[in-house]
Amino acid sequence: MAYVATRGGARAIEQSQRLFRAEMGTITPERVAEVRRALPYLVDRVMGEASLYDADLAALALAQTGGELHEAVLLLRAWRTTQPRLTVADPVLQQDLFTHRRISAAFKDIPGGQILGPTLDYSHRILMTEVLSGAAQTPDPVDAAAISAPAQHPSVAAWQAENGLLSAAEPDTRCGNDIPDITREPLLFPAQRAHRLQSLARADTGGVLALGYAAQRGYGQAHPTVNELRLAEAEVIVQHPRGTRFSAGRVKVSQAEVVAKTGSDLRLGFAATLGWNEVKVIAAATLDLNAKGAPKGSATEEEFFLYHTEGVEASGFCIHFKLPHYVTFQSSLDAMRDAKARDQAKNQARAAETAQATREAEPTP
Amino acid sequence: MTAAPLASEFDTRTNATYEALMWALSRPGLIRTLPLAGLAQIIDTLIDRECAVYCEDAALTAQAMQTGAVLAPPEQADHLFLTALEHADFLTRLPQGSDLHPEAGATLVCTARLGRGPRLRLTGPGCEGAVEVRIDGLPDGIWQTRAQVLRYPLGFELFLVDANRVLGLPRSTKVEVL
Amino acid sequence: MSLKSLTRDWQPMSFGFLDASAKREIRRTSLKAIAVPGCQIPYASREVPMARGWGTGGLQVSCTLITPRTRIKVIDQGADDSVNAASIRRFLARVSGAPTTMDTLEADLIQSRHRIPEEVLQDHQVLVLQVPNPEPLRPVEPNMSLARQMHADADYGRMWLQLYEQIVRSGRVMQGASYPSLVNGRYVMTPSPIPRWDVPKLHMARHLTLLSAGREKRLFAVPPFTRVEPLVFEDVPYRVEDHAGLSCARSGARGFFMNEIPQADGSSSYEISDSELGVKSIRQRDNETVTIGDTWYKNGEMAG
């Protein structure tokens, strides 16, 4: 039975996975803990794109995939699918965030003050090669400020709205179960604002950066000014079935407000995500800012950027081209060959006609 | 490889209920068997917090609420459960969806008597030629009203339940009273 | 009420992988898809443990339908043992304990990428087709919202124009697979990238076909006994691939859709694309007892 001999698919896929995993060796709880401790920004990025806040699981996903980011996010999203929804937390208000870093490019100083917080922005990007020669680098201790900054701050946009500079978005008062949820409902266009912001929060960092950057370079109508960039921790308040409200813990969040002048008003673009990821929220807020009135099919149109920054979908589709496509290819070949044959037949008929005409036109000797 | 997860009683029952509903709608007029009698299992099978439900019966209402669905008047409900359909006019109140979203049309599940009463001829997708059925226990003029209000591809779906038997009538089915 | 009443005992995985909510959504969506044949119904499309574009839409439908007794068959490009088919089959069995088969006649549920088996599907069978791009209008309108409006208006003028231009330019319709087809006289649908050979198998079929695009989050259906008509001009008939006269180099069978295998000498050899029919044909040739079901094509011609 000739066909049976070719049946190696199940075995082949098993062995190919072993080959991939062999390179990474044994995955231990210690390795996962080390990933979590050593790579907090990577863990944050993966948690944000997965829309699942659990640093241990994110570190496990990174360890399990050897740092293949799209695979790690997919693992977490697939795990998230299996989890029951117990409750919906209270809305997190900007002014309640426990703020670590808060800067504004729009004003020299802002109510509550600029708080530089943890950043590499002003570091010199010099590789610490001495570590490779055995000199461990231990960070210098932080000197605490004489007067600590307040933990909570109003948003800059709130001040602008108070001063009549900003037309703020209609507040969406829906709460609890009524909040639209992109993981349980299809994304339709024009997208509900909640769906747009949720999609951006889950978007691929690289994808959002590429399209946000395109908008910033001039493929968008509005040039952003960073009104406020904030890294913070948010208290997650949930209600116990008996009625008590309690904090289930804190999650790291990033948010960006960007503004642009439109006529006599400022227009606001906003984005937030789980984990600390500054580039993502600035780029995403730029896209949000530019979406209104963007031409159909442009990079700043909502449908365009939401579809194309969905990292799990984009990466999955991209790698699916590795799958066999020989049936579709065969189908196209068939149409192509037939068209070619027709073309040739037509050309031959034309050549014969011309030859005939030439013969007729020639004077007989 | 870990052992396959076991299907709970709930999994088994709701899967079987859905299979009956799916085939009932795929082959209009062919009666399918539900695992249990009554409408409650259909709520278990289809209804969730994303749904807007209309029920008249108190027990069904309580059950629908427990799924997290919101209760809505007929005009805004996507799923309606009636132990008795009293007036043909009720059909005029059902959402039929929109040109962009025909799927927003409602699903009405109601009790009826299958296999007796007026003879009907069904044609359309899912019908091998024409299918004849008898349906009783529905208000007079219901088929005329249905024909008048449906604007395919807009419309609503009907599931008629008689104890543990179900018959489906998608909007695509033409119903003639013989 | 207690926390316990809101949740269930912890299990590493739900039966059929998807949780009850996800299944309910797929059920509601499938019912509407059946009610409005060929109309693309949006759904949330949960993430499943496979990459998007690798059959996640089909997988969600299969996971919703599956029971421990559902006999499942999975094929890719017509083959049961293609690597991705093997992976999906293994996943479906793993999350449900369902038995698997390669025999089209034995299957209750067939999940397929790019082919419909050659043996005629029957009343109780469900065919789940994986769909990469659910929108037949995309070549003429890439924007989903605008395309949706065109479907709402049954505005298929640009689609027809595209076909017309191909005929003018090349003397024939150049569409290979995914041939756009009118369903129940109302919606133009892509039958998924099945070859033109397979499209007539959907027309007035006995089985139910569910088409699901996980990445694009659209589900549509062709119920049994529903008209599926490829878009053609009256004077330029629909043409399936020119495979009627080809014979399978392994089994000797003729008159089915073939895979072309390029040979070192510059020629081509062919083998049956429906791998299980290939196996059956070889067994039959070797005088084994084997049941080959009724086939849609007889001697390379679609039976009327």
Side-chain angles (χ1 to χ4, degrees), chain A:
Chain A
M1 285 180 292
Y3 256 100
V4 179
T6 68
R7 287 212 165 126
R11 188 180 166 272
I13 57 177
E14 173 62 32
Q15 299 305 317
S16 66
Q17 285 167 37
R18 290 189 189 184
L19 207 49
F20 185 92
R21 296 191 204 290
E23 195 180 358
M24 291 179 305
T26 311
I27 297 168
T28 59
E30 293 72 32
R31 182 187 290 187
V32 175
E34 183 58 23
V35 168
R36 180 181 169 165
R37 200 172 60 86
L39 305 169
Y41 286 90
L42 186 61
V43 167
D44 273 13
R45 174 172 171 171
V46 168
M47 290 195 299
E49 294 180 13
S51 56
L52 176 76
Y53 199 92
D54 187 317
D56 288 325
L57 290 178
L60 173 61
L62 284 165
Q64 191 179 327
T65 57
E68 225 294 4
L69 282 192
H70 292 118
E71 286 291 333
V73 172
L74 174 56
L75 267 181
L76 290 171
R77 290 235 193 134
W79 190 86
R80 186 188 191 279
T81 301
T82 63
Q83 297 307 300
R85 166 166 308 200
L86 296 182
T87 187
V88 178
D90 287 355
V92 171
L93 301 176
Q94 277 173 285
Q95 62 264 28
D96 297 341
L97 289 174
F98 186 87
T99 304
H100 288 249
R101 167 165 160 81
R102 173 188 186 241
I103 52 171
S104 172
F107 299 101
K108 182 164 187 299
D109 207 354
I110 43 177
Q114 307 251 21
I115 303 166
L116 211 44
T119 180
L120 287 177
D121 280 353
Y122 306 100
S123 71
H124 296 146
R125 273 66 163 199
I126 298 166
L127 209 50
M128 297 176 180
T129 46
E130 56 275 25
V131 173
L132 297 181
S133 12
Q137 292 291 310
T138 308
D140 294 330
V142 178
D143 296 326
I147 307 161
S148 53
Q152 285 154 347
H153 300 265
S155 78
V156 175
W159 180 87
Q160 287 158 333
E162 235 167 73
N163 286 275
L165 296 169
L166 184 93
S167 46
E170 267 305 298
D172 191 336
T173 52
R174 285 178 289 184
C175 58
N177 278 340
D178 297 336
I179 298 171
D181 181 344
I182 198 65
T183 66
R184 296 164 71 95
E185 297 157 350
L187 176 64
L188 300 174
F189 297 98
Q192 304 185 56
R193 182 142 183 83
H195 280 175
R196 184 200 287 178
L197 294 180
Q198 287 165 11
S199 297
L200 286 173
R202 280 158 61 89
D204 178 64
T205 304
V208 167
L209 174 60
L211 295 187
Y213 175 54
Q216 291 160 358
R217 261 192 87 239
Y219 284 88
Q221 303 306 308
H223 189 81
T225 297
V226 173
N227 214 27
E228 184 185 316
L229 172 74
R230 201 189 286 218
L231 300 183
E233 289 177 52
E235 204 87 61
V236 178
I237 307 287
V238 292
Q239 187 171 14
H240 189 274
R242 279 202 222 98
T244 333
R245 305 193 101 71
F246 65 99
S247 168
R250 280 184 190 165
V251 295
K252 280 156 87 184
V253 293
S254 331
Q255 59 154 70
E257 285 175 357
V258 297
V259 288
K261 183 172 71 67
T262 48
S264 58
D265 257 339
L266 286 173
R267 192 200 290 177
L268 181 71
F270 180 81
T273 190
L274 289 173
W276 288 358
N277 189 340
E278 297 185 7
V279 98
K280 175 169 168 176
V281 286
I282 296 172
T286 305
L287 290 172
D288 181 50
L289 174 74
N290 274 281
K292 195 177 175 190
K296 280 271 179 205
S298 69
T300 50
E301 186 215 0
E302 172 183 74
E303 178 173 333
F304 190 96
F305 68 70
L306 292 187
Y307 271 132
H308 297 132
T309 59
E310 197 351 280
V312 166
E313 285 165 16
S315 63
F317 194 62
C318 181
I319 61 172
H320 115 281
F321 286 103
K322 294 182 287 188
L323 285 174
H325 280 80
Y326 52 79
V327 166
T328 33
F329 188 70
Q330 191 59 231
S331 185
S332 302
L333 269 188
D334 171 83
M336 242 175 61
R337 282 173 174 155
D338 181 54
K340 217 176 250 237
R342 279 162 194 267
D343 226 30
Q344 264 169 8
K346 214 191 276 173
N347 288 343
Q348 273 167 8
R350 207 174 291 147
E353 250 172 55
T354 320
Q356 177 73 17
T358 321
R359 265 198 303 279
E360 279 165 13
E362 273 170 19
T364 38

Side-chain angles (χ1 to χ4, degrees), chain C residues 174-236:
Chain C
M174 291 305 288
Q175 183 84 30
S178 318
Y179 198 97
S181 305
L182 188 67
V183 183
N184 190 31
R186 175 59 180 80
Y187 286 99
V188 170
M189 163 192 98
T190 169
S192 85
I194 55 173
R196 302 189 299 287
W197 184 270
D198 286 347
V199 178
K201 298 172 182 173
L202 292 170
H203 177 67
M204 300 304 274
R206 302 200 73 88
H207 70 278
L208 166 65
T209 305
L210 294 168
L211 301 100
S212 181
R215 184 177 50 82
E216 298 270 349
K217 307 183 170 72
R218 297 288 186 274
L219 200 157
F220 48 110
V222 178
F225 304 104
T226 299
R227 283 178 292 138
V228 177
E229 297 153 318
L231 297 187
V232 282
F233 297 95
E234 268 172 34
D235 47 349
V236 184

Side-chain angles (χ1 to χ4, degrees), chain C:
Chain C
M1 199 192 278
S2 64
L3 271 179
K4 183 132 179 75
S5 76
L6 289 172
T7 183
R8 53 170 163 73
D9 289 339
W10 191 83
Q11 260 182 281
M13 194 188 283
S14 299
F15 175 79
F17 184 79
L18 297 176
D19 67 84
S21 274
K23 285 182 191 160
R24 283 191 283 260
E25 196 215 1
I26 300 267
R27 289 173 187 146
R28 295 193 302 268
T29 309
S30 306
L31 291 179
K32 291 302 166 191
I34 291 164
V36 194
C39 179
Q40 299 168 46
I41 315 290
Y43 70 110
S45 188
R46 307 293 209 269
E47 267 94 9
V48 290
M50 245 165 246
R52 289 288 201 213
W54 292 60
T56 58
L59 195 68
Q60 291 177 72
V61 172
S62 296
C63 285
T64 302
L65 284 170
I66 210 160
T67 76
R69 285 172 314 285
T70 311
R71 202 165 279 274
I72 45 178
K73 171 181 167 81
V74 183
I75 49 176
D76 188 335
Q77 313 289 297
D80 294 85
D81 205 42
S82 182
V83 278
N84 205 41
S87 157
I88 292 175
R89 180 170 50 244
R90 200 168 67 139
F91 179 78
L92 286 172
R94 176 179 178 173
V95 300
S96 67
T100 62
T101 182
M102 298 198 181
D103 190 344
T104 301
L105 305 179
E106 279 184 358
D108 301 309
L109 174 70
I110 301 174
Q111 179 170 334
S112 169
R113 173 167 172 266
H114 300 184
R115 273 313 310 272
I116 299 178
E118 299 283 10
E119 290 166 290
V120 177
L121 300 181
Q122 297 303 324
D123 291 62
H124 71 285
Q125 292 180 303
V126 183
L127 173 66
V128 177
L129 287 174
Q130 299 170 200
V131 182
N133 165 21
E135 184 49 79
L137 299 175
R138 193 155 299 168
V140 296
E141 180 49 74
N143 190 286
M144 292 277 268
S145 324
L146 294 178
R148 192 155 194 93
Q149 185 64 52
M150 289 163 72
H151 284 292
D153 300 337
D155 169 13
Y156 298 126
R158 280 157 71 189
M159 190 91 233
W160 283 107
L161 183 64
Q162 194 201 28
L163 297 176
Y164 174 77
E165 283 174 352
Q166 288 173 10
I167 293 174
V168 170
R169 208 173 301 130
S170 311
R172 61 164 291 151
V173 173
M174 291 305 288
Q175 183 84 30
S178 318
Y179 198 97
S181 305
L182 188 67
V183 183
N184 190 31
R186 175 59 180 80
Y187 286 99
V188 170
M189 163 192 98
T190 169
S192 85
I194 55 173
R196 302 189 299 287
W197 184 270
D198 286 347
V199 178
K201 298 172 182 173
L202 292 170
H203 177 67
M204 300 304 274
R206 302 200 73 88
H207 70 278
L208 166 65
T209 305
L210 294 168
L211 301 100
S212 181
R215 184 177 50 82
E216 298 270 349
K217 307 183 170 72
R218 297 288 186 274
L219 200 157
F220 48 110
V222 178
F225 304 104
T226 299
R227 283 178 292 138
V228 177
E229 297 153 318
L231 297 187
V232 282
F233 297 95
E234 268 172 34
D235 47 349
V236 184
Y238 181 70
R239 287 184 55 188
V240 303
E241 290 78 1
D242 201 8
H243 284 197
L246 303 177
S247 344
C248 173
R250 289 182 164 184
S251 67
R254 285 168 74 88
F256 299 107
F257 190 82
M258 299 283 168
N259 296 328
E260 180 178 358
I261 317 288
Q263 301 297 302
D265 65 3
S267 67
S268 290
S269 95
Y270 296 90
E271 59 183 49
I272 290 188
S273 157
D274 180 337
S275 68
E276 195 53 26
L277 184 64
V279 171
K280 285 184 178 180
S281 301
I282 291 170
R283 287 189 174 150
Q284 193 174 50
R285 187 198 59 197
D286 298 347
N287 298 318
E288 283 184 52
T289 318
V290 53
T291 313
I292 296 183
D294 191 20
T295 52
W296 264 295
Y297 283 81
K298 294 184 174 62
N299 302 317
E301 290 290 322
M302 181 74 193

